[in-house]
Amino acid sequence: MIWLNFLHLYQPANTDFYNIRTALDKSYLRLLRLVEEHPDLKMTFNISGCLLERLVDAKEDSFLERLKFLVRKKRIELTGSAYYHGFLPLLPEKEVIRQIRANEKILKNIFGDNFKPAGFFLPEMAYSASLAKIIKKLGYQWIILDEIAFSKDLKNKPDINTLYVDEASGLKVVCRHRE
């Protein structure tokens, strides 16, 4: 079995900081500690730009410094995404690009040259062929999709040992398995 650790860290831009603090204490900080305590463990994170903005504004420097260290050591890989977690297939191309570029900007500001995204997280894993083409045009190499993208009734699940390529864009596809 191939096991990929992919985690999506997101809180709505307008949420009370209490909710972010709870997510930090009950999840995000625990994940960092797990990676710190197990040197062979690597994970891929998607962290939305709007969450990073809130963490910077709240001066959550300890969390950010620990995260930067793990990214620099290549223990955590970061993906691209949309700044506000917008439902991208329903947005005009110009807004899709704006959200992706805004997300890249804050990640680059925080992680510097260590932010070299190859992968892209589609908010809500909402896919469309035209969106995949935009993502490819912006330089990304792979996307993560839910297995429902392969079979509407989940009867024909993707083979975890097969490398899939999106026909519309040429992007490699990593499959999220619900099990």
Side-chain angles (χ1 to χ4, degrees):
M1 175 195 297
I2 299 170
W3 181 273
L4 300 173
N5 296 299
F6 184 93
L7 298 161
H8 172 53
L9 282 59
Y10 167 72
Q11 298 296 316
N14 62 349
T15 194
D16 292 333
F17 195 79
Y18 169 82
N19 295 320
I20 295 172
R21 175 87 262 149
T22 300
L24 276 167
D25 293 341
K26 293 189 176 201
S27 179
Y28 307 159
L29 288 165
R30 292 177 184 190
L31 291 168
L32 292 187
R33 188 175 68 237
L34 183 67
V35 177
E36 290 165 342
E37 291 175 356
H38 298 278
D40 293 332
L41 181 62
K42 295 182 181 181
M43 294 188 180
T44 300
F45 282 9
N46 164 254
I47 306 175
S48 64
C50 63
L51 174 58
L52 282 171
E53 179 181 15
R54 296 290 301 277
L55 293 170
V56 168
D57 289 348
K59 300 190 182 343
E60 289 292 338
D61 299 332
S62 174
F63 173 80
L64 292 168
E65 288 303 318
R66 289 169 67 192
L67 182 58
K68 283 196 272 190
F69 176 79
L70 293 168
V71 169
R72 185 172 61 250
K73 293 295 182 181
K74 299 184 179 178
R75 309 269 313 286
I76 291 179
E77 171 189 16
L78 299 172
T79 65
S81 192
Y83 194 91
Y84 290 108
H85 202 268
F87 199 76
L88 298 181
L90 299 182
L91 297 177
E93 180 175 346
K94 186 175 179 180
E95 177 60 15
V96 169
I97 293 169
R98 186 188 76 76
Q99 286 222 18
I100 293 170
R101 291 296 190 213
N103 201 67
E104 291 171 347
K105 182 179 179 182
I106 192 166
L107 285 158
K108 195 73 158 165
N109 285 343
I110 292 171
F111 300 101
D113 291 337
N114 294 309
F115 175 61
K116 299 175 185 171
F120 190 89
F121 175 78
L122 300 159
E124 306 305 331
M125 292 198 179
Y127 170 86
S128 73
S130 59
L131 176 59
K133 290 175 186 175
I134 294 168
I135 292 164
K136 177 71 172 184
K137 186 172 68 176
L138 293 176
Y140 291 91
Q141 299 167 19
W142 61 267
I143 55 176
I144 186 166
L145 291 177
D146 188 273
E147 62 189 357
I148 196 83
F150 290 84
S151 172
K152 292 179 183 175
D153 58 11
L154 292 175
K155 288 182 182 173
N156 299 314
K157 294 183 180 185
D159 178 1
I160 63 169
N161 296 310
T162 300
L163 174 63
Y164 292 94
V165 177
D166 177 58
E167 292 177 7
S169 65
L171 289 165
K172 294 175 186 164
V173 176
V174 174
C175 298
R176 176 181 81 169
H177 291 268
R178 293 174 178 221
E179 293 174 8

